[in-house]
Amino acid sequence: MHELHSLLEQALAQGYQVHSIASIWEKIKAGQLQDGPYLVLRLDIDTDLRTTRALWRVVREMGVQASFYFRLSTLHVNLMQEIHAAGSEASYHYEEIATYAKRHRLKSRAEVEAHMPAIRALFAENYRRIKALTGLPLHTVASHGDWLNRRLGVINHELLQDRGLREELGIELEAYDLVLLQHYTQRFSDGAYPNLWLDGNPLEAIHAGLPFVEILLHPRHWRANIPVNLQDNLRRLGEELAYRQSWCFCLSRPLIPLWPIVQGGFLESVF
């Protein structure tokens, strides 16, 4: 956690304003972007709520804003509400294209496109349920990248190309929208050890004073949580077996999180 603290400390010392996706979007909408420098901090909560809480404590202690995007499998209502109340953003890290394709064993982009109305309906159902559970605005969302997306060549955020769906749900921005990305000078993402940064070291960009930087973090890369990461890897294995052969579905089904358990983040919070 000291590494994140040091990174933010150095960014602030260089005069960076540290924003969430939601707060920088408000500046963009209002036409209030200046020369910067700006640092947009985003965390995708793929796994590991314990490390998420530790990262959140650093963000809060440093007095900056960040976006925390939670999957259905990591959804934690109390933590999301706490993040929002402190001025940062908590919202939805969605993956309905991959989820639907696994469930129905879709094998091609053409099949995904044929089922897109049902996929969008599933997304709308999940989004509304999260919004009702948390009471949060969820004005921005971010798509999750899954192994099946890469195999099919279909990105999850393609389902939000439907402008009518966005307007119906009140979604103003997807984290990969060009209207946001066009402002970034450089984007960075963390990686698993030993490749700690995938796109260069963000500290170099900060010390160079690049005007608009985004840093994307994933909790599982920041601290070892062996039981949770093992659970996630077993779930992935179960999904792969179920997708490859329908007869495996009954064997892998216990590895798939159920909504009532997921809702409270129970599986991860016990560790």
Side-chain angles (χ1 to χ4, degrees):
M1 297 306 104
H2 72 278
E3 293 185 32
L4 178 59
H5 187 282
S6 176
L7 187 154
L8 292 174
E9 190 173 52
Q10 293 180 64
L12 292 173
Q14 292 291 323
Y16 277 85
Q17 297 180 35
V18 183
H19 282 272
S20 66
I21 298 282
S23 63
I24 201 67
W25 174 236
E26 290 302 315
K27 279 189 169 291
I28 292 171
K29 286 193 301 179
Q32 294 177 348
L33 283 184
Q34 300 173 348
D35 293 336
Y38 298 104
L39 189 158
V40 176
L41 185 60
R42 168 182 160 191
L43 295 89
D44 286 355
I45 316 305
D46 295 342
T47 65
D48 197 352
L49 287 168
R50 184 179 68 182
T51 301
T52 298
R53 291 187 185 94
L55 293 168
W56 161 234
R57 284 195 295 271
V58 175
V59 170
R60 185 180 57 200
E61 290 167 3
M62 294 299 297
V64 299
Q65 294 177 309
S67 288
F68 292 73
Y69 291 107
F70 291 79
R71 300 169 67 189
L72 291 182
S73 58
T74 57
L75 195 70
H76 195 291
V77 173
N78 291 340
L79 179 58
M80 293 175 72
Q81 291 172 337
E82 178 185 329
I83 289 169
H84 176 79
S88 282
E89 178 186 25
S91 192
Y92 186 27
H93 196 35
Y94 65 94
E95 51 191 313
E96 274 75 10
I97 287 180
T99 300
Y100 188 96
K102 291 171 191 172
R103 185 178 300 166
H104 297 274
R105 291 182 289 282
L106 306 184
K107 302 297 184 181
S108 67
R109 165 176 279 275
E111 287 187 86
V112 170
E113 291 173 348
H115 287 81
M116 195 61 79
I119 294 170
R120 290 192 170 112
L122 177 62
F123 171 83
E125 177 185 354
N126 288 334
Y127 176 89
R128 290 190 175 105
R129 181 177 289 179
I130 296 169
K131 196 167 187 176
L133 281 170
T134 62
L136 301 182
L138 309 186
H139 289 327
T140 84
V141 295
S143 69
H144 172 67
D146 190 88
W147 61 269
L148 189 54
N149 292 113
R150 294 184 286 274
R151 184 171 302 181
L152 297 176
V154 184
I155 304 171
N156 281 311
H157 69 69
E158 291 186 36
L159 71 87
L160 283 182
Q161 291 176 355
D162 185 334
R163 302 302 305 183
L165 178 62
R166 291 191 183 206
E167 292 175 6
E168 176 187 340
L169 298 176
I171 296 172
E172 298 184 9
L173 183 75
E174 212 287 340
Y176 293 104
D177 282 349
L178 182 59
V179 69
L180 174 63
L181 297 184
Q182 67 184 353
H183 293 282
Y184 291 151
T185 309
Q186 194 165 353
R187 300 176 63 233
F188 298 91
S189 177
D190 60 356
Y193 181 86
N195 301 312
L196 302 183
W197 296 105
L198 303 181
D199 308 297
N201 192 328
L203 281 175
E204 295 178 3
I206 288 169
H207 288 297
L210 295 188
F212 213 128
V213 174
E214 183 194 59
I215 299 178
L216 170 61
L217 309 180
H218 302 81
R220 70 178 294 158
H221 295 156
W222 285 78
R223 188 167 66 182
N225 190 341
I226 294 172
V228 166
N229 291 337
L230 176 60
Q231 171 196 312
D232 185 59
N233 291 335
L234 288 173
R235 179 186 57 80
R236 291 185 186 184
L237 174 61
E239 289 176 346
E240 178 80 18
L241 291 173
Y243 180 76
R244 286 176 177 272
Q245 299 184 36
S246 59
W247 61 266
C248 290
F249 183 74
C250 60
L251 299 178
S252 62
R253 191 178 183 90
L255 298 173
I256 301 174
L258 300 177
W259 176 264
I261 299 175
V262 163
Q263 177 180 323
F266 173 77
L267 288 174
E268 296 199 20
S269 63
V270 296
F271 296 108

